[in-house]
Amino acid sequence: MDSNLITRLDKDRFLERFFKKDPTLWKEEPGHRKVIENRLGWLRSAEWMLGKLYELDQLTEEILREKIRDVVLLGMGGSSLAAEVMAFILKPKSEKYPRFHVLDTTDYRAIQAVERKLRLPSALFVVSSKSGSTVETTSQFQYFYDKVSKLNGRKKGDEAALATGRHFIAITDAGSQLEKLAQEKKFRRVFINPSDIGGRYSALSYFGLVPAALIGVPVHAVIGSAVRFLRDTETERDLDENQAIYLGALLGQYAKYGKDKLTFWMTPALQPFGPWLEQLIAESTGKEKLGILPIEGETPGEASLYGEDRVFVTMRLAHEKSTTLKAQAKKMIKAGHPVIEMTWPERTDLGAEFLRWEIVTGVASAVLGINPFDEPNVKESKDNTGRLLEHLKNHGKFPVTEGILKIKDAGFKPEAQALNAFFGALKKSGYIAILAYLERSPATQKALDGLRHQLGQALKVPVLVGFGPRYLHSIGQYYKGGPAQGIFLELFAAEAPGGQVPGTHYRFDQLKHAQALGDKEALESKKLPVLAVELQAQPLPCLAHLQKFLKAYFKEHPSSA
């Protein structure tokens, strides 16, 4: 790294100002400063949570006494990702604690799959939303509240409300719609998070830790590791030795000079950390046509597949030998790519890693001159979805959308002109994103991974995979606000009607369809290339047909590859 940058940061008292929460490290404009000043509570949220852990202990003991067998987290993006990561990496293998289910989708089949696993009388739903108005979370709540209330159909008035409400916990900000709803519906508990902690920075707050504690994650150890890391970072005045500040400055400088594809390779034990990193980095830095593109879940390949815009980060646990990961890192170093190798002492150091990467992202954003605490390009997709649902209400159907390819069987053969235009728009320094409005299941994930590998081998650019609407609350900000380098393959299924959302005029399949079309419009409004493909039969066979067709297409059109 250019030593002048560290010298400059030191001269500007960067460390001191960072921990004093000085908004001018990022932006001088009053509008930005106001946002930043109200989004820096995460920096000391671990210390704040130390005094709140007893609440989590008491609640956990309570649900164990009551023999709660399932905890279902209803939330999107920052309201669900951290808890999901902790569950995968740290949940004890013990039947003492409830099973854990995360619903961050509007896919009705996924909702049904969770519902079938539950015994509603012993289920607890955690409704998690900072604003309280997130359409996915609201719809999920309405669906399950209606189901649980029917269990208490013979009870009357307050007795019925109390019996139903005990199945629900809310995590939200003060004064939100969800806080009011929880009080009205007599939820078991309402956790009010500090309003100066943004969603993607909320891992070490109630949002991440309440659901984690309920399923037996050792949250005391997680918070302990974060507090120790906070103190080490705050007191290390030598910026060359300050792990978080130095790494953030390094990644910011790399991105500034074109190495903006930050690729994470992890051992299987730590792989679940990737989606959380993706959201944090992409949504924080992807704006003003700048940013760092996080790439997680990619299968490592030969050095020849990677361009000069790559930076690699490897992660493993200290006790893991990880010979394959080490060998892959050596290959990249030999090829001249920057490689950062990281080792976690213990799994519970996840708390320290949450904080490390929040600080790293904040520092990198300061180097790039970006406000990492807003998300200016998220609202358009939401507004488009709302408009499409209103059209459905008024006309009984969605407006006609032109230019969608349709796969029903192996006879799928779209005009080569459409594919030539789509792949021809791909830049040498670009990427392709697969946006899948499909059920997030192991079988679908495997099929999409196969498609991802095929496209990566053919096009030799990063290929990302995201499930909709999940990605809208994560990397979707980068797609619209970051560098205009992406092309977007949107996949959605022609689903059978089902899953009425109580209290609304639409079903879950219609909501998801509106979200897919709404984001297509948002991407196209930014002049970004989108190829929308409707899977008209069963999604898995259709995906197989698509792969088979693309294999033939790239063989016939080698210039596209």
Side-chain angles (χ1 to χ4, degrees):
M1 183 170 69
D2 181 1
S3 59
N4 290 334
L5 175 58
I6 289 295
T7 301
R8 190 161 64 251
L9 293 179
D10 197 35
K11 185 178 179 181
D12 289 343
R13 299 182 297 108
F14 187 92
L15 182 69
E16 177 188 346
R17 291 167 62 201
F18 190 88
F19 280 95
K20 286 185 176 179
K21 304 179 182 179
D22 181 351
T24 63
L25 289 176
W26 294 278
K27 293 285 187 180
E28 295 281 355
E29 298 89 339
H32 277 294
R33 288 178 63 172
K34 184 178 179 180
V35 171
I36 294 168
E37 285 170 345
N38 193 40
R39 285 292 183 271
L40 286 166
W42 59 269
L43 191 55
R44 297 197 180 278
S45 62
E47 290 180 331
W48 177 77
M49 279 303 305
L50 272 177
K52 303 294 181 180
L53 291 178
Y54 75 94
E55 298 178 17
L56 278 55
D57 294 339
Q58 290 174 348
L59 181 59
T60 302
E61 291 170 7
E62 180 182 301
I63 71 161
L64 291 178
R65 284 196 306 271
E66 295 183 20
K67 293 183 169 49
I68 296 295
R69 298 311 305 152
D70 292 279
V71 170
V72 186
L73 176 57
L74 311 178
M76 300 298 297
S79 296
S80 63
L81 276 170
E84 185 176 56
V85 170
M86 285 187 266
F88 278 125
I89 295 179
L90 290 168
K91 187 182 187 307
K93 296 178 180 178
S94 168
E95 293 186 4
K96 173 184 175 182
Y97 292 99
R99 297 179 299 176
F100 190 46
H101 316 270
V102 176
L103 274 177
D104 56 356
T105 183
T106 49
D107 185 278
Y108 185 51
R109 284 172 298 183
I111 294 168
Q112 283 182 303
V114 169
E115 186 181 356
R116 282 193 293 267
K117 295 175 184 177
L118 304 178
R119 185 174 174 272
L120 284 177
S122 60
L124 181 67
F125 297 88
V126 180
V127 189
S128 185
S129 172
K130 181 177 173 65
S131 68
S133 60
T134 309
V135 65
E136 298 92 341
T137 305
T138 300
S139 300
Q140 293 158 1
F141 163 73
Q142 289 168 318
Y143 180 81
F144 282 107
Y145 189 86
D146 182 67
K147 294 285 183 179
V148 175
S149 65
K150 288 175 181 176
L151 294 175
N152 303 299
R154 295 181 180 179
K155 297 175 182 177
K156 304 295 181 183
D158 284 351
E159 184 186 6
L162 285 167
T164 302
R166 284 194 67 75
H167 288 268
F168 294 88
I169 287 172
I171 309 172
T172 190
D173 280 8
S176 74
Q177 293 180 32
L178 178 54
E179 182 189 14
K180 297 170 186 173
L181 179 71
Q183 291 170 348
E184 175 191 329
K185 299 291 187 183
K186 304 186 187 306
F187 280 22
R188 177 189 291 255
R189 285 292 304 273
V190 181
F191 289 93
I192 302 299
N193 215 56
S195 60
D196 62 352
I197 299 176
R200 58 187 173 275
Y201 291 85
S202 64
L204 299 170
S205 73
Y206 282 143
F207 281 105
L209 295 169
V210 169
L214 296 178
I215 58 171
V217 168
V219 293
H220 287 258
V222 170
I223 285 294
S225 73
V227 169
R228 288 191 296 274
F229 188 82
L230 173 64
R231 291 169 184 169
D232 289 345
T233 304
E234 188 173 14
T235 56
E236 180 52 78
R237 299 285 175 179
D238 183 349
L239 298 189
D240 284 307
E241 298 297 323
N242 191 307
Q243 296 178 24
I245 303 294
Y246 185 89
L247 180 56
L250 178 66
L251 296 181
Q253 189 172 61
Y254 274 143
K256 206 169 186 177
Y257 293 103
K259 291 186 180 294
D260 58 354
K261 310 296 189 302
L262 183 60
T263 307
F264 292 97
W265 288 341
M266 307 172 190
T267 57
L270 301 182
Q271 188 66 50
F273 192 47
W276 181 85
L277 283 169
E278 178 186 76
Q279 187 210 15
L280 174 71
I281 296 167
E283 199 167 31
S284 296
T285 70
K287 53 202 71 169
E288 300 180 32
K289 302 300 179 186
L290 298 169
I292 298 170
L293 179 64
I295 301 165
E296 67 87 22
E298 182 182 68
T299 302
E302 294 303 316
S304 60
L305 289 171
Y306 306 112
E308 295 181 358
D309 53 359
R310 294 271 192 155
V311 177
F312 295 91
V313 175
T314 68
M315 290 187 192
R316 66 181 180 88
L317 289 166
H319 69 268
E320 295 180 298
K321 292 183 179 178
S322 310
T323 52
T324 303
L325 192 63
K326 290 177 182 177
Q328 194 69 30
K330 285 181 180 179
K331 282 184 188 178
M332 297 303 111
I333 293 169
K334 187 176 180 181
H337 294 293
V339 178
I340 300 158
E341 298 180 80
M342 305 183 75
T343 303
W344 296 22
E346 303 287 346
R347 287 175 184 259
T348 51
D349 284 285
L350 175 58
E353 294 303 320
F354 279 140
L355 183 58
R356 179 200 303 274
W357 284 97
E358 287 171 347
I359 294 172
V360 165
T361 302
V363 175
S365 298
V367 172
L368 290 169
I370 292 167
N371 174 1
F373 308 115
D374 64 355
E375 44 284 320
N377 300 105
V378 169
K379 189 173 183 294
E380 185 176 358
S381 290
K382 294 179 181 178
D383 290 345
N384 289 345
T385 296
R387 176 174 46 77
L388 288 164
L389 289 174
E390 189 64 21
H391 190 282
L392 174 69
K393 181 180 179 180
N394 293 332
H395 301 279
K397 59 183 179 180
F398 291 115
V400 175
T401 303
E402 302 292 343
I404 296 178
L405 303 181
K406 297 181 179 181
I407 304 178
K408 188 173 184 180
D409 51 38
F412 168 69
K413 287 185 179 179
E415 292 183 11
Q417 185 178 359
L419 293 178
N420 290 343
F422 180 65
F423 290 118
L426 183 62
K427 301 174 183 177
K428 184 179 179 181
S429 60
Y431 63 90
I432 179 168
I434 302 171
L435 313 177
Y437 284 83
L438 307 171
E439 180 184 5
R440 186 162 68 102
S441 67
T444 310
Q445 183 70 66
K446 183 178 180 181
L448 291 174
D449 286 344
L451 179 59
R452 178 183 196 173
H453 181 73
Q454 179 189 34
L455 291 170
Q457 292 286 316
L459 301 171
K460 294 182 174 56
V461 297
V463 183
L464 299 98
V465 175
F467 283 92
R470 175 182 165 109
Y471 78 85
L472 294 175
H473 298 260
S474 175
I475 200 170
Q477 165 62 42
Y478 182 97
Y479 291 158
K480 302 172 195 70
Q485 300 173 338
I487 65 173
F488 302 89
L489 175 61
E490 185 178 81
L491 306 172
F492 57 96
E495 297 185 45
Q500 183 68 36
V501 179
T504 75
H505 63 277
Y506 52 81
R507 304 183 305 266
F508 278 108
D509 62 294
Q510 293 170 323
L511 171 56
K512 190 173 73 166
H513 190 70
Q515 290 176 307
L517 295 181
D519 199 49
K520 177 178 181 290
E521 289 183 17
L523 290 164
E524 290 174 338
S525 74
K526 302 288 185 292
K527 309 299 183 186
L528 296 168
V530 182
L531 182 66
V533 179
E534 181 179 273
L535 311 181
Q536 291 193 297
Q538 291 297 316
L540 293 179
C542 286
L543 288 173
H545 298 330
L546 178 59
Q547 274 195 261
K548 185 177 179 181
F549 172 80
L550 287 175
K551 181 179 180 180
Y553 171 81
F554 287 130
K555 188 175 181 179
E556 293 174 12
H557 301 82
S559 60
S560 297

